[in-house]
Amino acid sequence: MASLLLAGGGTAGHVNPLLATAAVLRGRGHEVAAIGTPGGLEADLVPRAGLDLVEIDKVPFPRRPDADALRFPLRLRRAVAACVRAIDERGADAVVGFGGYVSTPAYLAARRRGLPIVVHEANARPGIANKLGARLTEHVAVTFPDTPLRHAAVTGLPLRAQIEELAATLADPAAAADASRASRAARVWGEDVPVLLAFGGSLGAASLNAALADGIGDLVARGVHVIHLTGRGKAEGALAARAALPEADRHRYEVEEYAHDMASLFAAADAVVCRSGAATVCEIGALGLPALYVPLPHGNGEQALNARAAVEAGAATLVPDADLSGARLVAEVEPLLIDADARARMRAAARGIGIADGADRLATMIEGVL
């Protein structure tokens, strides 16, 4: 069996795929440790998953000619040296990078020691670190087709175990119906009504929150049950909209700031409206859920690219953030919830492109290079 170093950190988009892949590799008998920074999410999540964390300093690429740019070469050399020490001390056989600040020094250290490098890119538009990594190896895994990296092979995104398990359940029509009924019964008091799940991530999405609060009266009037995750500290507008509903209908609009058990909410949902981060798009696709995506309007446009394959396949629709309103949201999601035939077509399209076993596929690629 092999000793493997997995590098990725800073955000959940880097850390969660790393942990999902580590779990599969350990299950196959390999020794796995992670490289990360003391200030990123990995400092908490990696040890909690039972993995050793090799800490290195954060080395962001300089964006402008300033003092940080002058210090960058020395910081990078120190980070590479720390990664080389980790490789030597653990007798690593390969390095796997998931992007982010920590991956660059890990890739350079692996090249210095002549080790195989495997790159996994979560987004349709790759980051700087993985653009570099892809120049150093022929073993490049991507989540989305048409990701512009050399030697790219589509493996999908390594998903959390509970999402993989739910995807397997929902792939069986009888089991899916039982899971949906059981989950819905607890939330909708036994009513057999369509359920819309809306969320904007842990921080919420102000435009999505406002549009849903504006359109909730129409959705409830059409018999839709809505579960709305507003983001921490951002429930005020939704709660006010709920209070304005007729008292008999208020139970149809559930407002929560955050949910720790997203799998149970996905099981209850007939359709989803949300942002289109890579993990979100991949989880929804693997689960076969029709979706309305409202990409984050900031950054480099990667969220719109993440959703493109699902939209082109007919598994989802997309509304630019600037065009979102209560009326537009209702018009877009109503067919997904009310029209059973349309929903079935979108579910089939989602399952046609969704990949639920991304962690297994990536682990197999890693084993193939050893």
Side-chain angles (χ1 to χ4, degrees):
M1 292 297 126
S3 173
L4 301 164
L5 279 174
L6 277 54
T11 67
H14 295 134
V15 179
N16 286 335
L18 182 155
L19 294 177
T21 305
V24 172
L25 290 169
R26 294 175 80 188
R28 296 185 183 187
H30 302 292
E31 294 182 4
V32 181
I35 299 173
T37 67
L41 280 177
E42 64 273 19
D44 174 45
L45 297 181
V46 167
R48 187 180 296 180
L51 292 175
D52 289 340
L53 179 66
V54 178
E55 293 185 351
I56 66 171
D57 291 335
K58 181 178 177 180
V59 189
F61 284 94
R63 302 290 182 177
R64 57 183 64 87
D66 56 13
D68 283 336
L70 293 175
R71 288 190 288 267
F72 174 75
L74 178 58
R75 287 177 172 174
L76 181 60
R77 284 198 296 272
R78 288 175 174 169
V80 172
C83 291
V84 168
R85 286 195 298 273
I87 288 171
D88 293 344
E89 290 170 0
R90 295 177 178 276
D93 298 296
V95 168
V96 185
F98 293 83
Y101 298 128
V102 301
S103 292
T104 298
Y107 294 145
L108 295 175
R111 184 178 67 167
R112 182 177 296 180
R113 283 294 184 255
L115 295 186
I117 297 169
V118 179
V119 173
H120 184 276
E121 175 55 53
N123 288 294
R125 180 168 286 167
I128 295 173
N130 279 350
K131 286 180 180 178
L132 169 66
R135 292 179 176 274
L136 304 178
T137 182
E138 296 182 357
H139 310 294
V140 179
V142 297
T143 299
F144 301 104
D146 302 324
T147 301
L149 289 176
R150 296 193 305 173
H151 311 298
V154 177
T155 62
L157 189 74
L159 300 178
R160 295 174 290 169
Q162 58 267 45
I163 298 297
E164 280 198 12
E165 292 166 5
L166 179 59
T169 298
L170 297 183
D172 177 347
D178 290 342
S180 181
R181 278 194 297 268
S183 184
R184 247 181 252 167
R187 295 186 163 275
V188 198
W189 301 333
E191 295 177 298
D192 187 13
V193 297
V195 175
L196 175 68
L197 172 61
F199 60 96
S202 59
L203 299 179
S207 57
L208 194 156
N209 287 346
L212 191 56
D214 185 48
I216 190 62
D218 288 335
L219 289 171
V220 167
R222 288 163 169 78
V224 175
H225 185 87
V226 178
I227 304 169
H228 182 187
L229 306 180
T230 64
R232 299 189 189 280
K234 298 180 180 178
E236 184 176 357
L239 291 173
R242 184 178 185 276
L245 293 173
E247 186 173 356
D249 290 335
R250 289 175 192 165
H251 72 283
R252 293 189 185 279
Y253 185 28
E254 294 186 49
V255 178
E256 302 174 22
E257 291 190 353
Y258 185 79
H260 290 283
D261 184 9
M262 285 298 293
S264 68
L265 299 187
F266 282 137
D270 291 293
V272 178
V273 55
C274 56
R275 294 298 197 197
S276 51
T280 299
V281 170
C282 291
E283 290 182 351
I284 290 171
L287 296 173
L289 287 173
L292 167 63
Y293 291 122
V294 185
L296 187 72
H298 311 301
N300 60 7
E302 77 224 18
Q303 286 211 353
L305 293 176
N306 291 344
R308 183 170 62 186
V311 173
E312 290 177 349
T317 58
L318 184 148
V319 174
D321 189 85
D323 296 341
L324 187 66
S325 65
R328 181 70 183 274
L329 187 150
V330 172
E332 295 287 348
V333 301
E334 187 176 23
L336 314 186
L337 296 162
I338 307 302
D339 186 335
D341 290 338
R343 187 165 67 246
R345 287 194 299 271
M346 295 184 78
R347 281 186 176 276
R351 291 194 183 100
I353 63 169
I355 297 175
D357 61 345
D360 278 295
R361 295 187 187 197
L362 180 57
T364 298
M365 175 185 281
I366 294 165
E367 289 178 330
V369 309
L370 294 173

